[in-house]
CSV table of all heavy atoms in Angstrom, one decimal:
chain,number,residue,atom,x,y,z
A,33,GLN,N,10.8,3.4,2.8
A,33,GLN,CA,11.3,4.9,3.1
A,33,GLN,C,10.4,5.5,4.1
A,33,GLN,O,10.8,6.2,5.0
A,33,GLN,CB,11.3,5.5,1.7
A,33,GLN,CG,12.1,6.8,1.8
A,33,GLN,CD,12.2,7.5,0.4
A,33,GLN,OE1,11.1,7.5,-0.4
A,33,GLN,NE2,13.3,7.9,-0.1
A,34,GLN,N,9.0,5.3,4.0
A,34,GLN,CA,8.0,5.9,4.9
A,34,GLN,C,8.2,5.3,6.1
A,34,GLN,O,8.1,6.1,7.2
A,34,GLN,CB,6.5,5.6,4.3
A,34,GLN,CG,5.5,6.3,4.9
A,34,GLN,CD,5.4,7.8,4.4
A,34,GLN,OE1,6.3,8.4,3.9
A,34,GLN,NE2,4.2,8.4,4.4
A,35,LEU,N,8.4,4.0,6.2
A,35,LEU,CA,8.6,3.4,7.6
A,35,LEU,C,9.9,3.8,8.3
A,35,LEU,O,9.9,4.0,9.6
A,35,LEU,CB,8.5,1.8,7.4
A,35,LEU,CG,7.1,1.1,7.4
A,35,LEU,CD1,7.3,-0.3,7.1
A,35,LEU,CD2,6.5,1.4,8.8
A,36,GLU,N,10.9,4.0,7.5
A,36,GLU,CA,12.1,4.5,8.1
A,36,GLU,C,11.9,5.9,8.8
A,36,GLU,O,12.4,6.2,9.8
A,36,GLU,CB,13.3,4.5,7.1
A,36,GLU,CG,14.6,4.7,7.6
A,36,GLU,CD,15.7,4.7,6.5
A,36,GLU,OE1,15.4,4.4,5.3
A,36,GLU,OE2,16.9,4.7,6.8
A,37,LYS,N,11.2,6.8,8.0
A,37,LYS,CA,10.9,8.0,8.6
A,37,LYS,C,10.0,7.9,9.8
A,37,LYS,O,10.2,8.6,10.8
A,37,LYS,CB,10.2,8.9,7.5
A,37,LYS,CG,9.6,10.2,7.9
A,37,LYS,CD,10.7,11.2,8.2
A,37,LYS,CE,10.3,12.5,8.4
A,37,LYS,NZ,11.2,13.5,8.8
A,38,LEU,N,9.1,7.0,9.8
A,38,LEU,CA,8.2,6.7,10.9
A,38,LEU,C,8.9,6.4,12.2
A,38,LEU,O,8.8,7.0,13.3
A,38,LEU,CB,7.2,5.7,10.6
A,38,LEU,CG,6.3,5.2,11.8
A,38,LEU,CD1,5.4,6.4,12.3
A,38,LEU,CD2,5.5,4.0,11.3
A,39,PHE,N,9.9,5.5,12.1
A,39,PHE,CA,10.5,5.0,13.2
A,39,PHE,C,11.5,6.2,13.7
A,39,PHE,O,11.8,6.2,14.9
A,39,PHE,CB,11.4,3.7,12.9
A,39,PHE,CG,10.5,2.6,13.0
A,39,PHE,CD1,10.2,1.9,11.7
A,39,PHE,CD2,9.9,2.1,14.2
A,39,PHE,CE1,9.5,0.7,11.8
A,39,PHE,CE2,9.1,0.9,14.1
A,39,PHE,CZ,8.9,0.2,12.9
A,40,THR,N,12.1,6.9,12.9
A,40,THR,CA,13.0,8.1,13.2
A,40,THR,C,12.1,9.1,14.1
A,40,THR,O,12.6,9.5,15.1
A,40,THR,CB,13.5,8.8,12.0
A,40,THR,OG1,14.3,7.9,11.3
A,40,THR,CG2,14.3,10.0,12.4
A,41,GLU,N,10.8,9.3,13.7
A,41,GLU,CA,10.0,10.2,14.3
A,41,GLU,C,9.6,9.7,15.7
A,41,GLU,O,9.5,10.5,16.7
A,41,GLU,CB,8.7,10.6,13.6
A,41,GLU,CG,9.1,11.4,12.3
A,41,GLU,CD,9.6,12.6,12.5
A,41,GLU,OE1,9.1,13.3,13.5
A,41,GLU,OE2,10.5,13.2,11.7
A,42,LEU,N,9.3,8.4,15.7
A,42,LEU,CA,8.8,7.8,17.0
A,42,LEU,C,10.2,7.9,18.0
A,42,LEU,O,9.9,8.0,19.3
A,42,LEU,CB,8.7,6.2,16.8
A,42,LEU,CG,7.3,6.1,16.0
A,42,LEU,CD1,7.1,4.4,15.9
A,42,LEU,CD2,6.1,6.7,16.6
A,43,MET,N,11.3,7.7,17.5
A,43,MET,CA,12.5,7.9,18.4
A,43,MET,C,12.5,9.3,19.0
A,43,MET,O,13.0,9.5,20.2
A,43,MET,CB,13.8,7.4,17.8
A,43,MET,CG,13.9,6.0,17.5
A,43,MET,SD,15.4,5.3,17.0
A,43,MET,CE,15.2,5.5,15.2
A,44,VAL,N,12.3,10.3,18.1
A,44,VAL,CA,12.2,11.7,18.6
A,44,VAL,C,11.2,11.9,19.7
A,44,VAL,O,11.6,12.4,20.8
A,44,VAL,CB,11.9,12.6,17.4
A,44,VAL,CG1,11.7,14.0,17.9
A,44,VAL,CG2,13.0,12.7,16.3
A,45,ILE,N,10.1,11.3,19.6
A,45,ILE,CA,9.0,11.3,20.7
A,45,ILE,C,9.5,10.8,21.9
A,45,ILE,O,9.5,11.2,23.1
A,45,ILE,CB,7.7,10.7,20.1
A,45,ILE,CG1,7.2,11.5,18.9
A,45,ILE,CG2,6.8,10.7,21.3
A,45,ILE,CD1,6.0,10.7,18.2
A,46,ILE,N,10.3,9.5,21.8
A,46,ILE,CA,10.8,8.8,23.0
A,46,ILE,C,11.7,9.5,23.6
A,46,ILE,O,11.9,9.7,24.9
A,46,ILE,CB,11.1,7.3,22.6
A,46,ILE,CG1,10.1,6.5,22.2
A,46,ILE,CG2,11.9,6.7,23.8
A,46,ILE,CD1,10.5,5.2,21.4
A,47,ARG,N,12.7,10.2,22.9
A,47,ARG,CA,13.8,11.0,23.4
A,47,ARG,C,13.2,12.2,24.3
A,47,ARG,O,13.8,12.6,25.1
A,47,ARG,CB,14.7,11.5,22.3
A,47,ARG,CG,15.6,10.3,21.9
A,47,ARG,CD,16.8,10.8,20.9
A,47,ARG,NE,17.6,9.8,20.3
A,47,ARG,CZ,17.5,9.4,19.2
A,47,ARG,NH1,16.5,10.0,18.4
A,47,ARG,NH2,18.3,8.5,18.7
A,48,SER,N,12.1,12.7,23.8
A,48,SER,CA,11.4,13.8,24.5
A,48,SER,C,10.9,13.5,25.8
A,48,SER,O,10.5,14.4,26.7
A,48,SER,CB,10.5,14.4,23.6
A,48,SER,OG,9.3,13.8,23.6
A,49,GLY,N,10.8,12.2,26.1
A,49,GLY,CA,10.3,11.6,27.5
A,49,GLY,C,8.9,11.3,27.3
A,49,GLY,O,8.2,11.0,28.2
A,50,GLN,N,8.3,11.4,26.2
A,50,GLN,CA,6.9,11.1,25.9
A,50,GLN,C,6.8,9.5,25.6
A,50,GLN,O,7.5,9.0,24.8
A,50,GLN,CB,6.2,11.8,24.7
A,50,GLN,CG,6.3,13.3,25.0
A,50,GLN,CD,5.7,13.8,26.3
A,50,GLN,OE1,4.9,13.2,26.9
A,50,GLN,NE2,6.4,14.8,27.0
A,51,PRO,N,5.8,8.8,26.2
A,51,PRO,CA,5.6,7.4,25.7
A,51,PRO,C,5.0,7.3,24.4
A,51,PRO,O,4.2,8.1,23.9
A,51,PRO,CB,4.7,6.9,26.8
A,51,PRO,CG,3.8,8.0,27.2
A,51,PRO,CD,4.8,9.2,27.2
A,52,VAL,N,5.4,6.2,23.6
A,52,VAL,CA,4.8,6.0,22.3
A,52,VAL,C,3.9,4.8,22.4
A,52,VAL,O,4.2,3.8,23.0
A,52,VAL,CB,5.8,5.6,21.3
A,52,VAL,CG1,5.4,5.1,20.0
A,52,VAL,CG2,6.7,6.8,20.9
A,53,ASN,N,2.6,5.1,22.1
A,53,ASN,CA,1.5,4.0,22.2
A,53,ASN,C,0.9,3.8,20.8
A,53,ASN,O,1.3,4.5,19.8
A,53,ASN,CB,0.5,4.3,23.3
A,53,ASN,CG,0.0,5.7,23.1
A,53,ASN,OD1,-0.1,6.3,22.0
A,53,ASN,ND2,-0.5,6.3,24.3
A,54,VAL,N,-0.2,3.0,20.8
A,54,VAL,CA,-0.9,2.8,19.4
A,54,VAL,C,-1.4,4.1,18.9
A,54,VAL,O,-1.3,4.3,17.7
A,54,VAL,CB,-2.0,1.7,19.6
A,54,VAL,CG1,-2.6,1.6,18.4
A,54,VAL,CG2,-1.4,0.2,19.9
A,55,ASP,N,-2.0,4.8,19.8
A,55,ASP,CA,-2.7,6.1,19.3
A,55,ASP,C,-1.5,7.1,18.6
A,55,ASP,O,-1.8,7.6,17.6
A,55,ASP,CB,-3.3,6.9,20.4
A,55,ASP,CG,-4.6,6.2,20.8
A,55,ASP,OD1,-5.1,5.5,19.8
A,55,ASP,OD2,-5.0,6.4,22.0
A,56,SER,N,-0.4,7.2,19.2
A,56,SER,CA,0.7,8.1,18.7
A,56,SER,C,1.3,7.4,17.5
A,56,SER,O,1.6,8.1,16.6
A,56,SER,CB,1.8,8.4,19.9
A,56,SER,OG,2.4,7.2,20.4
A,57,VAL,N,1.3,6.1,17.4
A,57,VAL,CA,1.8,5.5,16.1
A,57,VAL,C,0.9,5.9,15.0
A,57,VAL,O,1.3,6.3,14.0
A,57,VAL,CB,1.8,4.0,16.4
A,57,VAL,CG1,2.1,3.2,14.9
A,57,VAL,CG2,3.1,3.7,17.3
A,58,ILE,N,-0.5,5.7,15.3
A,58,ILE,CA,-1.5,6.0,14.3
A,58,ILE,C,-1.5,7.4,13.9
A,58,ILE,O,-1.6,7.9,12.7
A,58,ILE,CB,-2.9,5.5,14.7
A,58,ILE,CG1,-2.9,4.1,14.9
A,58,ILE,CG2,-4.0,6.0,13.7
A,58,ILE,CD1,-4.2,3.5,15.5
A,59,ARG,N,-1.4,8.3,14.8
A,59,ARG,CA,-1.2,9.7,14.5
A,59,ARG,C,-0.1,10.1,13.6
A,59,ARG,O,-0.1,10.8,12.6
A,59,ARG,CB,-1.1,10.6,15.7
A,59,ARG,CG,-2.4,10.6,16.6
A,59,ARG,CD,-2.5,11.8,17.4
A,59,ARG,NE,-1.5,11.6,18.6
A,59,ARG,CZ,-1.7,11.1,19.8
A,59,ARG,NH1,-2.9,10.8,20.0
A,59,ARG,NH2,-0.7,11.1,20.7
A,60,SER,N,1.1,9.3,14.0
A,60,SER,CA,2.4,9.7,13.3
A,60,SER,C,2.2,9.3,11.8
A,60,SER,O,2.6,9.9,10.8
A,60,SER,CB,3.5,8.9,13.9
A,60,SER,OG,3.7,9.5,15.2
A,61,ILE,N,1.7,8.0,11.5
A,61,ILE,CA,1.4,7.6,10.2
A,61,ILE,C,0.5,8.5,9.4
A,61,ILE,O,0.8,8.8,8.3
A,61,ILE,CB,0.8,6.0,10.3
A,61,ILE,CG1,1.8,5.1,10.8
A,61,ILE,CG2,0.4,5.6,9.0
A,61,ILE,CD1,1.2,3.7,11.2
A,62,GLY,N,-0.6,8.9,10.1
A,62,GLY,CA,-1.4,9.9,9.3
A,62,GLY,C,-0.8,11.2,9.0
A,62,GLY,O,-0.9,11.7,7.8
A,63,MET,N,0.2,11.7,9.9
A,63,MET,CA,0.8,13.0,9.6
A,63,MET,C,1.8,12.8,8.4
A,63,MET,O,2.0,13.6,7.5
A,63,MET,CB,1.6,13.6,10.8
A,63,MET,CG,0.7,14.0,11.9
A,63,MET,SD,1.7,14.5,13.3
A,63,MET,CE,0.3,14.2,14.5
A,64,LEU,N,2.5,11.7,8.4
A,64,LEU,CA,3.6,11.4,7.5
A,64,LEU,C,2.9,11.1,6.0
A,64,LEU,O,3.5,11.2,5.0
A,64,LEU,CB,4.4,10.1,7.8
A,64,LEU,CG,5.3,10.4,8.9
A,64,LEU,CD1,6.0,9.1,9.4
A,64,LEU,CD2,6.3,11.5,8.7
């Protein structure tokens, strides 16, 4: 469930035109 939310949020970032890298993945995991 947590991972499904994570990938949903990563897609929001990508749609905004921002690249997703390891740092943004780790940040996203921490926020969730």
Side-chain angles (χ1 to χ4, degrees):
Q33 199 174 41
Q34 193 84 329
L35 275 171
E36 190 173 10
K37 174 69 172 174
L38 171 65
F39 284 112
T40 300
E41 294 295 324
L42 294 180
M43 286 188 280
V44 171
I45 298 171
I46 294 169
R47 287 192 184 100
S48 73
Q50 306 302 327
V52 170
N53 53 30
V54 172
D55 284 341
S56 52
V57 169
I58 294 173
R59 285 200 296 267
S60 299
I61 293 171
M63 291 180 206
L64 293 174

